[in-house]
Amino acid sequence: MQQSPPRRNRGSLHAPLLAALGLVVCAGAFARAPAQQPSGELSPEEVVRCQMEALQGNGEGDLGIAVAFRFASPANRRVTGPLPRFVAMIKNGPYRAMLQSQLIEYGEVEVREDQASLQVSVLTRDFLAVAYRFYLSRQSVPGCEGCWMTDAVTVEDVRRVPGVDA
């Protein structure tokens, strides 16, 4: 059974506010349900979108965070894992905004050989704007050959949206 992508505009924001912030609603990012695990068929942007979609729909049992962890490169998993540690990192640190975002904006993908990066900006329900940079590489590790996977995610900017009552 094919699922339709979740709606992105879950808040009560109005179009003029969105335009003023330069944010776009990520509706219909996937024609099909996002992938649940790495595949050599996914581009760097698709990998990041899969992770963000999973985090958006995290729900009970932290299944979305588990999906995002699957897309972490083996080297990244060695640093951020095991899964319970990764869950705590997402829920309690600067990555928490990924779980609480009501709007997502994807920047342009920069690819150089087997390395890629992509900026992702989110707006949380309490009007905190956070910009992240995803760093990915094409893997050559057995079991992950040819798959783009996330090596790191850094926080580039955090700010409260001015003039909006949270």
Side-chain angles (χ1 to χ4, degrees):
M1 176 191 287
Q2 188 170 341
Q3 296 177 334
S4 60
R7 289 185 47 146
R8 286 288 166 257
N9 192 3
R10 293 184 285 205
S12 60
L13 295 176
H14 301 290
L17 176 59
L18 297 176
L21 294 173
L23 297 172
V24 296
V25 176
C26 175
F30 289 96
R32 63 194 189 309
Q36 299 291 303
Q37 59 189 14
S39 163
E41 297 176 14
L42 297 173
S43 70
E45 182 178 8
E46 289 170 321
V47 167
V48 172
R49 286 181 181 265
C50 288
Q51 289 180 294
M52 292 302 295
E53 292 278 340
L55 293 170
Q56 287 295 292
N58 186 45
E60 271 188 61
D62 297 318
L63 297 177
I65 296 175
V67 169
F69 187 65
R70 280 186 219 131
F71 283 94
S73 69
N76 186 352
R77 278 188 253 146
R78 281 192 295 277
V79 173
T80 60
L83 181 58
R85 182 175 179 211
F86 186 79
V87 168
M89 180 186 75
I90 297 295
K91 286 185 161 184
N92 301 311
Y95 304 105
R96 182 181 184 140
M98 292 177 172
L99 298 171
Q100 301 173 337
S101 60
Q102 62 180 347
L103 296 171
I104 304 171
E105 180 180 58
Y106 296 92
E108 293 293 318
V109 179
E110 299 172 20
V111 178
R112 290 194 181 104
E113 297 181 17
D114 288 339
Q115 305 289 316
S117 73
L118 168 65
Q119 185 179 42
V120 176
S121 301
V122 301
L123 180 66
T124 66
R125 291 180 211 113
D126 60 351
F127 300 101
L128 186 66
V130 183
Y132 300 96
R133 177 146 312 262
F134 282 72
Y135 295 92
L136 303 95
S137 62
R138 191 184 324 261
Q139 300 297 302
S140 59
V141 177
C144 303
E145 300 97 313
C147 295
W148 285 99
M149 298 179 84
T150 301
D151 291 319
V153 180
T154 60
V155 179
E156 292 194 325
D157 189 28
V158 179
R159 63 181 70 186
R160 176 106 14 229
V161 176
V164 177
D165 294 327

